[in-house]
Amino acid sequence: MFKVSELTRRQFINVLDGRRLGPIKDVHVDEKGMITAVVLRGGKKLLGIFPWGKDVVIPWSQVKKIGVDAVLVEAEEV
Protein backbone atom coordinates (compact mmCIF):
# COMPACT_ATOMS: atom_id res chain seq x y z
CA MET A 1 0.00 0.00 0.00
CA PHE A 2 1.24 3.52 -0.74
CA LYS A 3 0.05 7.10 -0.69
CA VAL A 4 -0.67 8.92 -3.93
CA SER A 5 1.50 11.78 -2.69
CA GLU A 6 4.46 9.36 -2.72
CA LEU A 7 4.04 8.97 -6.50
CA THR A 8 4.84 12.65 -6.99
CA ARG A 9 8.41 12.00 -5.79
CA ARG A 10 9.10 9.26 -8.33
CA GLN A 11 10.20 9.40 -11.96
CA PHE A 12 7.88 7.74 -14.49
CA ILE A 13 9.91 5.73 -17.00
CA ASN A 14 8.66 3.94 -20.11
CA VAL A 15 10.21 0.44 -20.19
CA LEU A 16 9.72 0.21 -23.95
CA ASP A 17 12.19 2.99 -24.80
CA GLY A 18 13.74 4.03 -21.46
CA ARG A 19 12.42 7.62 -21.63
CA ARG A 20 11.38 9.64 -18.63
CA LEU A 21 7.76 10.60 -19.17
CA GLY A 22 7.47 13.52 -16.79
CA PRO A 23 6.18 14.25 -13.32
CA ILE A 24 2.72 13.23 -12.13
CA LYS A 25 0.07 15.91 -12.44
CA ASP A 26 -3.16 14.14 -11.48
CA VAL A 27 -4.73 10.77 -10.73
CA HIS A 28 -8.00 9.37 -12.07
CA VAL A 29 -9.99 7.44 -9.46
CA ASP A 30 -13.16 5.39 -9.98
CA GLU A 31 -16.23 5.37 -7.75
CA LYS A 32 -14.73 2.59 -5.60
CA GLY A 33 -11.62 4.66 -4.88
CA MET A 34 -9.33 2.62 -7.14
CA ILE A 35 -6.77 4.38 -9.35
CA THR A 36 -7.68 3.96 -13.01
CA ALA A 37 -5.01 6.20 -14.60
CA VAL A 38 -2.27 8.69 -13.86
CA VAL A 39 -1.86 11.98 -15.71
CA LEU A 40 1.71 13.04 -16.36
CA ARG A 41 2.75 16.58 -17.18
CA GLY A 42 3.77 16.39 -20.81
CA GLY A 43 6.36 18.27 -22.78
CA LYS A 44 8.81 20.83 -21.58
CA LYS A 45 8.55 24.41 -20.46
CA LEU A 46 8.81 27.28 -22.91
CA LEU A 47 11.41 29.76 -21.66
CA GLY A 48 11.60 27.63 -18.51
CA ILE A 49 8.25 29.00 -17.31
CA PHE A 50 5.25 28.16 -19.51
CA PRO A 51 4.10 24.54 -19.93
CA TRP A 52 4.46 23.36 -23.51
CA GLY A 53 3.00 20.09 -24.79
CA LYS A 54 0.13 17.79 -23.99
CA ASP A 55 -0.39 15.91 -20.75
CA VAL A 56 -0.02 12.14 -20.98
CA VAL A 57 -2.67 9.80 -19.54
CA ILE A 58 -1.29 6.40 -18.56
CA PRO A 59 -3.90 3.73 -17.72
CA TRP A 60 -3.15 2.06 -14.39
CA SER A 61 -3.01 -1.31 -16.19
CA GLN A 62 0.18 -0.10 -17.93
CA VAL A 63 1.97 0.54 -14.62
CA LYS A 64 4.31 -2.44 -14.28
CA LYS A 65 6.42 -1.74 -11.19
CA ILE A 66 6.49 0.92 -8.46
CA GLY A 67 9.98 1.23 -7.03
CA VAL A 68 11.65 3.41 -4.43
CA ASP A 69 12.86 5.97 -7.00
CA ALA A 70 10.85 5.26 -10.14
CA VAL A 71 7.60 3.94 -11.57
CA LEU A 72 8.01 1.72 -14.63
CA VAL A 73 5.22 1.86 -17.19
CA GLU A 74 4.70 0.12 -20.52
CA ALA A 75 3.24 2.81 -22.76
CA GLU A 76 3.05 2.13 -26.49
CA GLU A 77 2.17 5.61 -27.76
CA VAL A 78 3.57 8.47 -25.75
mmCIF file of all heavy atoms in Angstrom, residues 41-53:
data_model
loop_
_atom_site.group_PDB
_atom_site.id
_atom_site.type_symbol
_atom_site.label_atom_id
_atom_site.label_comp_id
_atom_site.label_asym_id
_atom_site.label_seq_id
_atom_site.Cartn_x
_atom_site.Cartn_y
_atom_site.Cartn_z
ATOM 1 N N ARG A 41 2.552 15.277 -16.547
ATOM 2 C CA ARG A 41 2.751 16.582 -17.178
ATOM 3 C C ARG A 41 3.628 16.366 -18.407
ATOM 4 O O ARG A 41 4.760 15.911 -18.295
ATOM 5 C CB ARG A 41 3.425 17.539 -16.197
ATOM 6 C CG ARG A 41 3.383 18.971 -16.613
ATOM 7 C CD ARG A 41 3.962 19.879 -15.544
ATOM 8 N NE ARG A 41 3.475 19.605 -14.194
ATOM 9 C CZ ARG A 41 2.316 20.045 -13.696
ATOM 10 N NH1 ARG A 41 1.511 20.769 -14.440
ATOM 11 N NH2 ARG A 41 1.971 19.764 -12.459
ATOM 12 N N GLY A 42 3.063 16.656 -19.574
ATOM 13 C CA GLY A 42 3.775 16.388 -20.814
ATOM 14 C C GLY A 42 4.607 17.556 -21.292
ATOM 15 O O GLY A 42 4.423 18.697 -20.887
ATOM 16 N N GLY A 43 5.545 17.248 -22.149
ATOM 17 C CA GLY A 43 6.355 18.269 -22.780
ATOM 18 C C GLY A 43 7.325 18.954 -21.848
ATOM 19 O O GLY A 43 7.582 18.514 -20.748
ATOM 20 N N LYS A 44 7.846 20.047 -22.336
ATOM 21 C CA LYS A 44 8.809 20.829 -21.580
ATOM 22 C C LYS A 44 8.221 22.191 -21.298
ATOM 23 O O LYS A 44 7.074 22.456 -21.608
ATOM 24 C CB LYS A 44 10.095 20.948 -22.384
ATOM 25 C CG LYS A 44 10.739 19.608 -22.659
ATOM 26 C CD LYS A 44 12.023 19.757 -23.389
ATOM 27 C CE LYS A 44 12.622 18.375 -23.599
ATOM 28 N NZ LYS A 44 13.889 18.416 -24.244
ATOM 29 N N LYS A 45 9.025 23.059 -20.736
ATOM 30 C CA LYS A 45 8.546 24.406 -20.456
ATOM 31 C C LYS A 45 9.180 25.385 -21.432
ATOM 32 O O LYS A 45 10.381 25.351 -21.666
ATOM 33 C CB LYS A 45 8.864 24.797 -19.020
ATOM 34 C CG LYS A 45 8.065 24.003 -18.021
ATOM 35 C CD LYS A 45 8.171 24.589 -16.662
ATOM 36 C CE LYS A 45 7.260 23.816 -15.719
ATOM 37 N NZ LYS A 45 7.192 24.414 -14.426
ATOM 38 N N LEU A 46 8.351 26.245 -22.000
ATOM 39 C CA LEU A 46 8.811 27.280 -22.911
ATOM 40 C C LEU A 46 9.434 28.394 -22.086
ATOM 41 O O LEU A 46 8.812 28.892 -21.146
ATOM 42 C CB LEU A 46 7.617 27.798 -23.728
ATOM 43 C CG LEU A 46 7.915 28.868 -24.762
ATOM 44 C CD1 LEU A 46 8.841 28.319 -25.833
ATOM 45 C CD2 LEU A 46 6.627 29.350 -25.392
ATOM 46 N N LEU A 47 10.662 28.733 -22.392
ATOM 47 C CA LEU A 47 11.408 29.755 -21.657
ATOM 48 C C LEU A 47 11.575 29.390 -20.181
ATOM 49 O O LEU A 47 11.791 30.239 -19.333
ATOM 50 C CB LEU A 47 10.727 31.131 -21.769
ATOM 51 C CG LEU A 47 10.532 31.674 -23.180
ATOM 52 C CD1 LEU A 47 9.727 32.954 -23.144
ATOM 53 C CD2 LEU A 47 11.874 31.897 -23.855
ATOM 54 N N GLY A 48 11.443 28.093 -19.876
ATOM 55 C CA GLY A 48 11.600 27.633 -18.512
ATOM 56 C C GLY A 48 10.441 27.961 -17.591
ATOM 57 O O GLY A 48 10.488 27.701 -16.406
ATOM 58 N N ILE A 49 9.363 28.549 -18.146
ATOM 59 C CA ILE A 49 8.246 28.995 -17.310
ATOM 60 C C ILE A 49 6.921 28.388 -17.745
ATOM 61 O O ILE A 49 6.209 27.804 -16.949
ATOM 62 C CB ILE A 49 8.119 30.537 -17.349
ATOM 63 C CG1 ILE A 49 9.414 31.171 -16.863
ATOM 64 C CG2 ILE A 49 6.956 31.007 -16.508
ATOM 65 C CD1 ILE A 49 9.473 32.663 -17.081
ATOM 66 N N PHE A 50 6.574 28.537 -19.017
ATOM 67 C CA PHE A 50 5.254 28.163 -19.506
ATOM 68 C C PHE A 50 5.224 26.699 -19.956
ATOM 69 O O PHE A 50 6.086 26.273 -20.704
ATOM 70 C CB PHE A 50 4.853 29.058 -20.684
ATOM 71 C CG PHE A 50 4.927 30.517 -20.361
ATOM 72 C CD1 PHE A 50 5.945 31.300 -20.873
ATOM 73 C CD2 PHE A 50 4.000 31.106 -19.529
ATOM 74 C CE1 PHE A 50 6.037 32.644 -20.575
ATOM 75 C CE2 PHE A 50 4.076 32.448 -19.222
ATOM 76 C CZ PHE A 50 5.098 33.218 -19.738
ATOM 77 N N PRO A 51 4.216 25.930 -19.494
ATOM 78 C CA PRO A 51 4.105 24.535 -19.925
ATOM 79 C C PRO A 51 3.895 24.456 -21.432
ATOM 80 O O PRO A 51 3.153 25.258 -22.007
ATOM 81 C CB PRO A 51 2.876 24.018 -19.187
ATOM 82 C CG PRO A 51 2.507 25.039 -18.197
ATOM 83 C CD PRO A 51 3.159 26.316 -18.581
ATOM 84 N N TRP A 52 4.559 23.508 -22.071
ATOM 85 C CA TRP A 52 4.464 23.356 -23.515
ATOM 86 C C TRP A 52 4.302 21.869 -23.815
ATOM 87 O O TRP A 52 5.106 21.061 -23.429
ATOM 88 C CB TRP A 52 5.737 23.881 -24.155
ATOM 89 C CG TRP A 52 5.726 23.861 -25.633
ATOM 90 C CD1 TRP A 52 6.292 22.914 -26.434
ATOM 91 C CD2 TRP A 52 5.134 24.812 -26.501
ATOM 92 N NE1 TRP A 52 6.086 23.224 -27.737
ATOM 93 C CE2 TRP A 52 5.375 24.394 -27.811
ATOM 94 C CE3 TRP A 52 4.416 25.978 -26.298
ATOM 95 C CZ2 TRP A 52 4.934 25.101 -28.916
ATOM 96 C CZ3 TRP A 52 3.985 26.672 -27.400
ATOM 97 C CH2 TRP A 52 4.241 26.244 -28.687
ATOM 98 N N GLY A 53 3.237 21.496 -24.466
ATOM 99 C CA GLY A 53 3.001 20.092 -24.789
ATOM 100 C C GLY A 53 1.754 19.572 -24.097
ATOM 101 O O GLY A 53 1.195 20.213 -23.223
#
